[in-house]
Coordinates of all heavy atoms in Angstrom, one line a residue:
A36 N -4.7 29.7 12.3 CA -5.2 29.8 13.8 C -6.1 30.9 13.9 O -7.0 30.8 14.7 CB -3.9 29.8 14.7
I37 N -5.8 32.0 13.1 CA -6.7 33.1 13.3 C -8.0 33.0 12.4 O -9.0 33.2 13.0 CB -6.0 34.4 12.6 CG1 -4.7 34.7 13.5 CG2 -6.9 35.6 12.5 CD1 -3.9 35.7 12.9
L38 N -7.9 32.5 11.1 CA -9.2 32.5 10.4 C -10.0 31.2 10.7 O -11.2 31.3 10.4 CB -8.6 32.4 8.9 CG -8.0 33.5 8.3 CD1 -7.6 33.3 6.8 CD2 -9.0 34.7 8.2
C39 N -9.4 30.2 11.1 CA -10.1 29.0 11.4 C -10.3 28.7 12.8 O -10.6 27.5 13.3 CB -9.4 27.7 10.7 SG -9.3 28.0 8.9
A40 N -10.3 29.6 13.7 CA -10.5 29.5 15.2 C -11.8 28.7 15.6 O -11.9 28.0 16.6 CB -10.3 30.8 15.9
D41 N -12.8 28.8 14.7 CA -14.1 28.3 15.1 C -14.4 27.0 14.4 O -15.5 26.4 14.6 CB -15.3 29.2 14.8 CG -15.4 29.8 13.4 OD1 -14.3 29.7 12.7 OD2 -16.4 30.2 12.9
C42 N -13.5 26.5 13.6 CA -13.5 25.3 12.8 C -13.2 24.0 13.6 O -12.2 24.0 14.3 CB -12.6 25.3 11.6 SG -12.5 23.8 10.7
Y43 N -14.3 23.1 13.7 CA -14.0 22.0 14.6 C -13.0 21.0 14.1 O -12.2 20.5 15.0 CB -15.4 21.3 14.8 CG -16.4 21.9 15.5 CD1 -17.6 22.3 15.0 CD2 -16.1 22.1 16.9 CE1 -18.5 23.0 15.7 CE2 -17.1 22.8 17.8 CZ -18.3 23.2 17.1 OH -19.2 23.9 17.9
A44 N -12.6 21.1 12.9 CA -11.6 20.2 12.3 C -10.2 20.7 12.8 O -9.3 20.1 13.3 CB -11.7 20.1 10.9
W45 N -10.2 22.2 12.8 CA -9.0 22.8 13.1 C -8.8 22.5 14.7 O -7.7 22.3 15.2 CB -8.9 24.2 12.8 CG -7.7 25.0 13.2 CD1 -7.6 25.8 14.2 CD2 -6.4 24.8 12.8 NE1 -6.3 26.4 14.5 CE2 -5.6 25.6 13.4 CE3 -5.7 24.0 11.8 CZ2 -4.2 25.8 13.3 CZ3 -4.5 24.1 11.6 CH2 -3.6 25.0 12.3
K46 N -9.8 22.7 15.4 CA -9.7 22.5 16.9 C -9.3 21.1 17.2 O -8.5 20.9 18.2 CB -11.1 22.8 17.5 CG -11.5 24.2 17.5 CD -12.9 24.4 18.2 CE -13.3 25.9 18.2 NZ -14.6 26.0 18.8
F47 N -9.8 20.1 16.5 CA -9.3 18.8 16.7 C -7.9 18.5 16.4 O -7.1 18.0 17.2 CB -10.3 17.9 15.8 CG -9.8 16.4 16.0 CD1 -10.0 15.8 17.3 CD2 -9.4 15.7 14.8 CE1 -9.7 14.4 17.3 CE2 -9.0 14.3 15.0 CZ -9.2 13.7 16.3
F48 N -7.4 19.1 15.3 CA -6.0 19.1 15.0 C -5.1 19.7 16.1 O -4.2 19.1 16.4 CB -5.7 19.8 13.6 CG -4.3 19.9 13.2 CD1 -3.7 19.0 12.7 CD2 -3.6 21.1 13.5 CE1 -2.4 19.0 12.3 CE2 -2.2 21.2 13.1 CZ -1.6 20.1 12.6
I49 N -5.5 20.9 16.8 CA -4.7 21.6 17.7 C -4.8 20.6 19.0 O -3.9 20.5 19.7 CB -5.4 22.8 18.0 CG1 -5.1 23.8 16.8 CG2 -4.8 23.5 19.2 CD1 -3.6 24.0 16.3
W50 N -6.0 20.1 19.3 CA -6.2 19.2 20.4 C -5.1 18.0 20.4 O -4.5 17.6 21.3 CB -7.5 18.7 20.6 CG -7.7 17.8 21.7 CD1 -8.1 18.4 23.0 CD2 -7.7 16.5 21.8 NE1 -8.3 17.3 23.8 CE2 -8.0 16.2 23.1 CE3 -7.5 15.5 20.9 CZ2 -8.0 14.8 23.5 CZ3 -7.4 14.2 21.3 CH2 -7.7 13.8 22.7
L51 N -5.1 17.4 19.1 CA -4.3 16.4 18.9 C -2.7 16.8 19.3 O -2.0 16.0 19.8 CB -4.3 15.8 17.5 CG -5.6 15.1 17.2 CD1 -5.6 14.7 15.7 CD2 -5.7 13.7 17.9
K52 N -2.5 17.9 18.6 CA -1.0 18.4 18.8 C -0.7 18.7 20.3 O 0.3 18.4 20.7 CB -0.9 19.7 18.0 CG 0.5 20.2 17.9 CD 0.5 21.4 16.9 CE 1.8 22.2 17.1 NZ 1.7 23.6 17.1
D53 N -1.6 19.3 20.9 CA -1.4 19.7 22.3 C -1.3 18.5 23.2 O -0.6 18.5 24.2 CB -2.6 20.6 22.9 CG -2.6 22.0 22.3 OD1 -1.6 22.3 21.6 OD2 -3.7 22.7 22.4
H54 N -1.9 17.4 22.9 CA -1.9 16.2 23.7 C -1.0 15.2 23.1 O -0.8 14.0 23.6 CB -3.3 15.6 23.8 CG -4.3 16.3 24.6 ND1 -4.9 17.4 24.1 CD2 -4.5 16.3 25.9 CE1 -5.7 18.0 25.2 NE2 -5.4 17.3 26.2
K55 N -0.1 15.6 22.3 CA 0.9 14.7 21.6 C 0.5 13.6 21.0 O 1.1 12.5 21.1 CB 2.1 14.6 22.6 CG 2.7 15.8 23.0 CD 3.9 15.6 24.0 CE 4.7 16.7 24.4 NZ 4.3 18.1 24.2
Y56 N -0.8 13.5 20.3 CA -1.3 12.5 19.7 C -1.0 12.5 18.2 O -0.7 13.6 17.7 CB -2.8 12.3 19.8 CG -3.4 11.8 21.1 CD1 -3.9 12.7 22.0 CD2 -3.3 10.5 21.4 CE1 -4.4 12.3 23.3 CE2 -3.7 10.0 22.7 CZ -4.3 11.0 23.6 OH -4.7 10.6 24.8
R57 N -0.9 11.4 17.6 CA -0.7 11.4 16.2 C -1.8 10.5 15.5 O -2.2 9.6 16.0 CB 0.6 10.7 15.8 CG 1.9 11.4 16.3 CD 3.2 10.7 16.0 NE 3.2 9.4 16.6 CZ 3.8 8.3 16.0 NH1 4.4 8.5 14.9 NH2 3.8 7.2 16.6
I58 N -2.0 11.0 14.2 CA -2.9 10.0 13.4 C -2.1 9.3 12.5 O -1.2 9.8 11.8 CB -3.9 11.0 12.5 CG1 -4.8 11.8 13.5 CG2 -4.7 10.1 11.5 CD1 -5.7 12.8 12.6
I59 N -2.1 7.9 12.7 CA -1.3 7.1 11.9 C -2.1 6.3 10.9 O -3.4 6.1 11.0 CB -0.5 6.1 12.7 CG1 -1.4 5.3 13.7 CG2 0.4 6.9 13.6 CD1 -0.7 4.2 14.5
Q60 N -1.6 5.7 9.9 CA -2.2 4.8 9.0 C -2.3 3.4 9.5 O -1.2 2.9 9.9 CB -1.4 4.9 7.7 CG -2.1 4.0 6.6 CD -1.2 4.2 5.3 OE1 -0.2 4.9 5.3 NE2 -1.7 3.4 4.2
S61 N -3.5 2.9 9.5 CA -3.7 1.6 10.1 C -3.3 0.6 8.9 O -3.4 0.8 7.7 CB -5.0 1.3 10.5 OG -5.9 1.4 9.4
V62 N -3.0 -0.6 9.3 CA -2.8 -1.6 8.3 C -4.0 -2.4 8.0 O -5.0 -2.4 8.8 CB -1.8 -2.7 8.9 CG1 -0.4 -2.0 9.1 CG2 -2.2 -3.4 10.1
P63 N -4.0 -2.9 6.8 CA -5.3 -3.7 6.4 C -5.4 -4.9 7.4 O -4.5 -5.5 7.9 CB -5.0 -4.3 5.0 CG -3.7 -3.7 4.6 CD -3.1 -2.9 5.7
E64 N -6.7 -5.2 7.6 CA -7.0 -6.3 8.6 C -6.4 -7.6 8.0 O -6.7 -7.9 6.8 CB -8.5 -6.3 8.8 CG -8.9 -5.2 9.7 CD -10.1 -5.4 10.3 OE1 -10.5 -6.7 10.7 OE2 -10.8 -4.5 10.8
I65 N -6.0 -8.4 8.9 CA -5.8 -9.8 8.4 C -6.4 -10.8 9.3 O -6.8 -10.4 10.4 CB -4.1 -10.1 8.5 CG1 -3.6 -9.8 10.0 CG2 -3.4 -9.1 7.6 CD1 -2.2 -10.1 10.2
S66 N -6.4 -12.0 8.9 CA -7.2 -13.1 9.6 C -6.5 -13.4 10.8 O -5.2 -13.1 11.0 CB -7.3 -14.4 8.6 OG -6.1 -15.0 8.5
A67 N -7.2 -13.9 11.8 CA -6.6 -14.3 13.1 C -5.6 -15.5 12.9 O -4.5 -15.5 13.5 CB -7.7 -14.8 14.0
H68 N -5.8 -16.3 11.9 CA -4.9 -17.3 11.5 C -3.6 -16.8 11.1 O -2.5 -17.2 11.6 CB -5.5 -18.2 10.5 CG -4.7 -19.5 10.1 ND1 -4.8 -20.7 10.9 CD2 -3.9 -19.7 9.2 CE1 -4.1 -21.6 10.5 NE2 -3.4 -21.2 9.4
E69 N -3.6 -15.8 10.1 CA -2.3 -15.3 9.7 C -1.6 -14.5 10.8 O -0.5 -14.6 10.8 CB -2.8 -14.3 8.4 CG -1.4 -13.8 7.8 CD -1.6 -12.9 6.7 OE1 -2.8 -13.0 6.1 OE2 -0.8 -12.3 6.2
L70 N -2.5 -13.7 11.6 CA -1.8 -13.0 12.7 C -1.1 -14.0 13.7 O 0.1 -13.7 14.1 CB -2.9 -12.3 13.5 CG -2.4 -11.4 14.5 CD1 -1.5 -10.4 14.2 CD2 -3.6 -10.7 15.3
A71 N -1.7 -15.1 13.9 CA -1.1 -16.1 14.9 C 0.2 -16.6 14.3 O 1.2 -16.7 14.9 CB -2.1 -17.2 15.2
A72 N 0.2 -16.8 13.0 CA 1.3 -17.3 12.5 C 2.4 -16.3 12.3 O 3.6 -16.6 12.6 CB 1.2 -17.7 11.0
R73 N 2.1 -15.0 12.2 CA 3.1 -14.0 12.1 C 3.7 -13.8 13.4 O 4.9 -13.5 13.6 CB 2.5 -12.6 11.6 CG 2.2 -12.7 10.1 CD 1.8 -11.3 9.6 NE 1.5 -11.3 8.2 CZ 1.3 -10.2 7.5 NH1 1.4 -9.1 8.0 NH2 1.1 -10.4 6.1
I74 N 2.9 -13.8 14.5 CA 3.3 -13.7 15.9 C 4.4 -14.6 16.2 O 5.4 -14.4 16.9 CB 2.1 -13.8 16.9 CG1 1.3 -12.5 16.8 CG2 2.7 -13.9 18.3 CD1 -0.1 -12.6 17.5
K75 N 4.2 -16.0 15.7 CA 5.1 -17.0 15.9 C 6.3 -16.9 15.0 O 7.2 -17.8 15.1 CB 4.5 -18.3 16.0 CG 3.5 -18.5 17.1 CD 4.0 -18.4 18.4 CE 4.6 -19.6 18.8 NZ 5.1 -19.6 20.2
G76 N 6.3 -16.1 14.1 CA 7.4 -16.0 13.0 C 7.4 -17.1 12.0 O 8.4 -17.5 11.5
I77 N 6.2 -17.6 11.7 CA 6.0 -18.7 10.7 C 5.3 -18.2 9.5 O 4.4 -17.4 9.6 CB 5.0 -19.9 11.4 CG1 5.8 -20.2 12.7 CG2 5.0 -21.0 10.5 CD1 4.9 -21.2 13.6
D78 N 5.6 -18.8 8.3 CA 5.0 -18.5 7.1 C 3.6 -19.0 7.2 O 3.4 -20.3 7.5 CB 5.7 -19.1 5.9 CG 5.1 -18.8 4.7 OD1 4.1 -18.0 4.5 OD2 5.5 -19.5 3.7
P79 N 2.5 -18.2 7.1 CA 1.2 -18.7 7.2 C 0.8 -19.8 6.3 O -0.1 -20.6 6.6 CB 0.4 -17.4 6.9 CG 1.2 -16.2 7.1 CD 2.6 -16.7 6.8
V80 N 1.4 -19.8 5.1 CA 1.0 -20.9 4.1 C 1.5 -22.2 4.6 O 0.9 -23.2 4.5 CB 1.8 -20.6 2.8 CG1 1.6 -21.8 1.8 CG2 1.3 -19.3 2.2
R81 N 2.7 -22.4 5.4 CA 3.2 -23.6 5.9 C 2.3 -24.2 7.0 O 2.5 -25.3 7.3 CB 4.6 -23.3 6.5 CG 5.5 -23.0 5.3 CD 7.0 -22.9 5.8 NE 7.5 -24.2 6.5 CZ 8.3 -24.2 7.3 NH1 8.9 -23.1 7.9 NH2 8.7 -25.3 7.9
V82 N 1.4 -23.3 7.6 CA 0.7 -23.9 8.8 C -0.9 -23.7 8.5 O -1.6 -23.5 9.5 CB 1.0 -23.1 10.1 CG1 2.4 -23.5 10.5 CG2 0.9 -21.6 10.0
E83 N -1.3 -23.7 7.2 CA -2.6 -23.4 6.9 C -3.6 -24.6 7.4 O -4.8 -24.2 7.5 CB -2.9 -23.2 5.4 CG -2.4 -24.4 4.6 CD -2.3 -23.9 3.0 OE1 -2.6 -22.7 2.8 OE2 -2.2 -24.8 2.2

Side-chain angles (χ1 to χ4, degrees):
I37 295 167
L38 294 174
C39 300
D41 61 338
C42 174
Y43 287 115
W45 180 249
K46 288 179 181 180
F47 178 64
F48 176 78
I49 296 301
W50 183 87
L51 289 173
K52 185 177 167 219
D53 290 346
H54 289 85
K55 298 185 178 11
Y56 285 108
R57 298 179 299 151
I58 296 176
I59 58 171
Q60 181 178 359
S61 62
V62 295
E64 291 206 21
I65 60 175
S66 69
H68 187 81
E69 185 176 348
L70 180 60
R73 288 185 180 194
I74 288 171
K75 295 302 278 188
I77 304 168
D78 181 11
V80 175
R81 292 182 62 209
V82 291
E83 62 189 4

